[in-house]
Amino acid sequence: MAPARARFVRMPLRAARGPAPERAAGILPTVLGVAIMLGLLAVCSHVAVGLWERTSTESVAYDAVREVATAPDDGHDVRRRAIERARERLGGRSADVDMYFVDAGPEVIALHVRSGPVGLLPVIAGRVAIVGGLDRTITIRREQESPG
């Protein structure tokens, strides 16, 4: 008997490339993935800027209270200069920040600070503030020189 010859079957070209409906199917998930990634990046940036503004405002307010608490005299001039320095350190943000000293007794210095929320998102998307504004009273006990 003679050896059997191998048969070659020709496959159509379309079957080698894959079915036609699946071509370019990765575009939609890629576009959605990029859009979701950009949205999350915007939210993270919004939160970071809000937290940075809030902590920098609070830090400036603490410095103003500490300056008055360590001053040898407690005149209105010392308090006015402390608020002026705080406003200089805040720069352009100082117009949006309210700071005033509150009467808390002879041994305590108190500064009330109020500022609105800050972020990067537009007004429409940022109406729900992820990081709210600052509204607090910072109190520090007066430091006196020890006799010595």
Side-chain angles (χ1 to χ4, degrees), residues 3 7 62 81 92 95 102 112 131-132:
R7 284 191 188 182
Y62 267 112
R81 277 186 279 140
V102 180
H112 188 79
V131 178

Side-chain angles (χ1 to χ4, degrees), residues 119-138:
L120 294 176
L121 295 179
V123 176
I124 295 170
R127 285 189 194 234
V128 178
I130 297 172
V131 178
L134 180 66
D135 186 10
R136 79 182 282 196
T137 302
I138 300 168

Side-chain angles (χ1 to χ4, degrees), residues 45-118:
S45 300
H46 179 77
V47 168
V49 167
L51 287 174
W52 178 73
E53 281 288 337
R54 183 181 171 126
T55 55
S56 63
T57 302
E58 196 170 9
S59 172
V60 167
Y62 267 112
D63 290 344
V65 173
R66 196 174 306 120
E67 181 180 338
V68 173
T70 58
D73 63 336
D74 183 26
H76 291 290
D77 208 30
V78 174
R79 293 177 184 219
R80 183 184 50 78
R81 277 186 279 140
I83 288 181
E84 284 176 1
R85 281 194 200 106
R87 292 205 180 280
E88 286 175 11
R89 288 184 60 201
L90 286 172
R93 178 90 170 110
S94 66
D96 301 328
V97 177
D98 294 329
M99 287 190 291
Y100 54 89
F101 283 95
V102 180
D103 185 24
E107 297 297 317
V108 177
I109 304 296
L111 178 71
H112 188 79
V113 182
R114 181 179 299 140
S115 69
V118 173

